């Protein structure tokens, strides 16, 4: 899942806070792209949901392509190699799910035929401060339990394929066009 808001302080972190409340703060963590690509990959052993926050491909165009290639194996494979400091590599079984948050429409350089990512881009303006205050108060008072209950009770369609390709969105092609090679 890739969620982009063109407005800063839109509320992506507030969304993740609700998910942390549902999963448990130890099962849903936020990291940056450097941590995601680090060879230790400790987050794979401890978390079922990982947010890569403030995602933005930076550097030369070829370098930004490498981010996608490096993330592909981590995201799609059931086993990933991990290496803590002063310890040999080990194979880690993983069922970690990933979310990417960004403020940039070209955060990932997705090729036009990329089907691994569900992308949503919001250009809505930031709500007033009272909205966020009320939302966090609601979470503090048990709102996350209501979200979790709703998710547990939700009927999943018969044709849902959890190991299939991500549902297509018009935003994925926007991100793909935004990340095209400059020439």
């Amino acid at each position: 899942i890739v969620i982009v808001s063109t407005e800063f302080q839109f509320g992506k972190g507030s969304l993740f806070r609700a998910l942390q409340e549902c999963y448990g703060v130890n099962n849903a963590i936020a990291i940056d792209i450097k941590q995601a690509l680090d060879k230790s990959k400790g987050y794979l052993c401890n978390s079922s949901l990982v947010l890569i926050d403030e995602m933005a491909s930076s550097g030369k165009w070829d370098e930004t392509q490498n981010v996608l290639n490096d993330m592909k194996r981590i995201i799609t494979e059931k086993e990933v190699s991990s290496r803590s400091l002063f310890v040999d590599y080990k194979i880690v079984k993983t069922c970690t799910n990933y979310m990417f948050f960004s403020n940039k429409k070209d955060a990932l350089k997705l090729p036009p035929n990329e089907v691994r990512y569900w992308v949503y881009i919001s250009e809505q303006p930031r709500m007033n401060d009272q909205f966020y205050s009320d939302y966090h108060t609601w979470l503090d008072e048990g709102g996350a339990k209501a979200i979790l209950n709703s998710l547990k009770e939700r009927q999943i369609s018969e044709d849902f394929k959890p190991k299939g390709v991500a549902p297509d969105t018009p935003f994925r092609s926007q991100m793909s066009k935004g990340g095209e090679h400059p020439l």
Side-chain angles (χ1 to χ4, degrees):
I1 294 176
V2 181
I3 299 177
V4 175
S5 64
T6 55
E7 284 279 323
F8 288 91
Q9 297 293 303
F10 176 71
K12 296 182 301 290
S14 298
L15 169 65
F16 191 71
R17 179 179 171 223
L19 292 172
Q20 280 185 308
E21 295 283 334
C22 291
Y23 274 81
V25 293
N26 294 326
N27 288 321
I29 62 165
I31 62 175
D32 61 32
I33 189 64
K34 288 179 185 169
Q35 287 172 285
L37 298 175
D38 184 74
K39 59 186 163 200
S40 72
K41 295 182 186 61
Y43 60 88
L44 290 173
C45 303
N46 304 320
S47 299
S48 55
L49 179 63
V50 172
L51 165 64
I52 300 175
D53 202 6
E54 302 298 335
M55 178 64 203
S57 297
S58 60
K60 294 179 182 176
W61 193 83
D62 291 343
E63 293 168 350
T64 62
Q65 283 299 109
N66 288 339
V67 169
L68 262 188
N69 294 335
D70 293 342
M71 288 303 301
K72 181 232 175 249
R73 183 159 178 21
I74 297 168
I75 291 171
T76 59
E77 299 298 324
K78 292 179 182 177
E79 295 179 338
V80 178
S81 62
S82 169
R83 182 173 185 264
S84 300
L85 284 177
F86 311 113
V87 177
D88 285 338
Y89 276 97
K90 65 180 179 180
I91 300 300
V92 176
K93 291 191 182 290
T94 180
C95 60
T96 304
N97 296 285
Y98 295 87
M99 296 178 75
F100 297 87
F101 285 174
S102 185
N103 293 106
K104 298 181 180 188
K105 289 183 179 181
D106 63 346
L108 290 171
K109 309 300 187 210
L110 302 179
N113 60 347
E114 179 59 76
V115 294
R116 293 182 192 97
Y117 301 90
W118 179 88
V119 179
Y120 181 79
I121 298 173
S122 173
E123 295 184 0
Q124 295 294 316
R126 184 180 193 285
M127 305 289 276
N128 64 45
D129 287 343
Q130 188 61 48
F131 171 83
Y132 298 100
S133 178
D134 292 347
Y135 171 78
H136 286 281
T137 299
W138 178 75
L139 282 179
D140 291 340
E141 294 173 352
K145 290 179 184 175
I147 294 170
L148 182 58
N149 183 61
S150 176
L151 292 171
K152 285 181 172 181
E153 296 297 320
R154 187 168 193 265
Q155 295 296 316
I156 298 173
S157 69
E158 295 287 329
D159 62 345
F160 175 69
K161 296 178 183 138
K163 293 184 180 184
V165 298
D168 190 21
T169 67
F171 307 110
R172 187 168 61 205
S173 61
Q174 284 180 27
M175 184 170 278
S176 179
K177 286 179 184 152
E180 287 179 336
H181 194 284
L183 296 179

